[in-house]
Amino acid sequence: MAILIRILNVLILLGAIAAAVFSYLLFERRGEFRGRADKLAETLAEVTATLDTKASEKISFTPATADTPESGSLGWKAYHEAKGADKTYADFNTPLEAAKKIATEVGAQRETLVDSLVDVGTTLGIPQGQIEPEAIKSHDEPEAYKKATETIVGEAKRTAARDSSMIQTLTACARTIGQPLSENDLKQATEPTLSKFANEVTQLNTRSNDYGKLLTDAIRNTKQHKWKTNPAAVTDPKTYKTAMKTLEQDFGDINNKLVQLSKTQAEISALKSKLEDLSDELKMTQEDLQKEKHRVTQLQGATGSATTGPTGVQIQRPRVEEPLKPVDVVSPTLEGKVLQVNKDWNFVILDLGYDKLKEGTDMLVAREEDFIARVKITKVLRKISIAEVLPELQTGGIKVDDRVIMPRED
């Protein structure tokens, strides 16, 4: 009996030891389960807060410390209190369903964002090989997503910079052609606005081409002027500016020639008037000479210087005015004045006729006491003469009313 009791005590002791060991192991396992639950709850709360910052108001968990117990909607206390009579833990499941909903919505948004990124990249003209939708959506390839977004963002920035530059260029061009556009109009890029601007540019180009053709045709057809401008250079963008400079010089030369022509025409008209006056004067002189000749012929029938009539009365012969005779010797004190000056043809007209001058005579032109030039008489008429200006002996410009005198004989 004593042996049996001993065996029973040993069994009881072994049972107690086994119970203690099992209790310890159960306590350790409970601690592991508690730690895993805390980690899962904490991670779920952090993930949910990351997906949606507002979710932390409803889904939260703070692990226990040595001084404070755990807290939050995912804690043991919240779980225990949510048990309810039906033991469905409905109140505890609410934040879990909210977290699941947030995750689902974020996932859907991510899918939509990836598809949108691909569409944006394709619209921007990025080659398909640089953007792979499946690789971007894959959680195992975060670098693919990062690389794709960087590529798309970079291209978007370049496109925006290019658009801004193009808008600034277009607005500057519009101001240049006198048809200003606002940047807002171009940013909206409405069809009427762009069509109107395109039409204005087309019209400007048409006018430019017409002007270029007109100028080149004018150069080719106006053959009497010796053009410095090359017709082909007028419409060539590379030589256009140089051609405009030479064309301006050509137009200046033509204008100077027209001014000179107008001046010459006026001088010719004045000379023509002078010649007409001289012609009329010559005609009148010839008529006077004919009359005098006729009168002299009638008087030649009488003898002597007087004629006696039948009554014995002496008749006096009429006095005949001597006509102008060409001078043989030019007086050294002869003086006249300049009636007209022709600088282009280098001659002057004097108020001295053939009764005082003869061709080949040299004379001096003076103004007050100053010597101006030396001239040589080339043509002598009844009341005027024409003299060539000797440039090598000219010290100043001859003017109308300047004196002409005979040079001193040394």
Side-chain angles (χ1 to χ4, degrees), residues 61-286:
F61 178 76
T62 302
T65 63
D67 299 328
T68 59
E70 65 176 25
S71 60
S73 61
L74 299 180
W76 286 105
K77 182 178 180 182
Y79 179 77
H80 177 72
E81 292 176 352
K83 180 177 181 181
D86 54 0
K87 300 181 180 180
T88 58
Y89 301 94
D91 292 340
F92 185 81
N93 290 332
T94 299
L96 296 179
E97 292 295 331
K100 181 178 178 182
K101 181 180 179 182
I102 291 173
T104 303
E105 291 176 348
V106 170
Q109 289 177 353
R110 186 175 184 278
E111 293 287 329
T112 302
L113 286 173
V114 170
D115 293 337
S116 299
L117 280 174
V118 173
D119 291 340
V120 170
T122 303
T123 303
L124 293 174
I126 300 176
Q128 293 183 354
Q130 297 184 19
I131 305 175
E132 298 180 1
E134 297 303 324
I136 298 174
K137 294 178 182 180
S138 175
H139 299 284
D140 298 333
E141 300 184 34
E143 288 299 322
Y145 181 83
K146 181 180 179 182
K147 182 178 179 181
T149 54
E150 290 176 350
T151 300
I152 294 171
V153 170
E155 187 63 27
K157 289 181 177 180
R158 286 190 293 272
T159 301
R162 183 173 67 246
D163 288 348
S164 177
S165 177
M166 290 176 64
I167 288 173
Q168 292 177 3
T169 302
L170 286 174
T171 53
C173 291
R175 287 193 300 268
T176 301
I177 66 175
Q179 300 292 338
L181 286 174
S182 67
E183 291 190 5
N184 289 333
D185 291 339
L186 291 176
K187 287 178 180 179
Q188 294 175 3
T190 59
E191 181 63 25
T193 300
L194 297 178
S195 297
K196 180 181 178 183
F197 181 68
N199 290 334
E200 290 166 352
V201 172
T202 301
Q203 293 175 5
L204 177 63
N205 183 65
T206 301
R207 290 197 302 272
S208 177
N209 292 336
D210 291 342
Y211 292 151
K213 185 177 184 302
L214 177 63
L215 288 174
T216 54
D217 290 346
I219 293 172
R220 292 190 177 98
N221 295 332
T222 310
K223 299 179 180 179
Q224 291 184 343
H225 177 69
K226 190 174 181 180
W227 293 89
K228 300 182 181 70
T229 306
N230 179 9
V234 174
T235 55
D236 188 345
K238 296 181 180 179
T239 57
Y240 169 76
K241 291 185 178 179
T242 303
M244 289 300 99
K245 292 181 179 179
T246 56
L247 191 61
E248 184 178 2
Q249 295 175 1
D250 282 324
F251 285 152
D253 293 341
I254 292 174
N255 182 69
N256 292 336
K257 289 179 180 179
L258 290 175
V259 172
Q260 188 61 46
L261 177 60
S262 178
K263 184 178 179 182
T264 303
Q265 286 176 338
E267 293 174 350
I268 291 175
S269 178
L271 287 174
K272 182 180 178 182
S273 178
K274 288 280 186 183
L275 291 175
E276 289 176 351
D277 292 342
L278 291 173
S279 178
D280 292 340
E281 183 180 353
L282 179 61
K283 184 177 180 181
M284 292 175 63
T285 302
Q286 289 175 345

Side-chain angles (χ1 to χ4, degrees), residues 374-393:
R374 193 180 187 100
V375 298
K376 179 180 285 294
I377 307 302
T378 58
K379 184 69 176 179
V380 181
L381 301 176
R382 187 169 184 269
K383 291 186 177 181
I384 64 171
S385 58
I386 301 174
E388 178 187 0
V389 180
L390 303 177
E392 64 275 9
L393 299 176

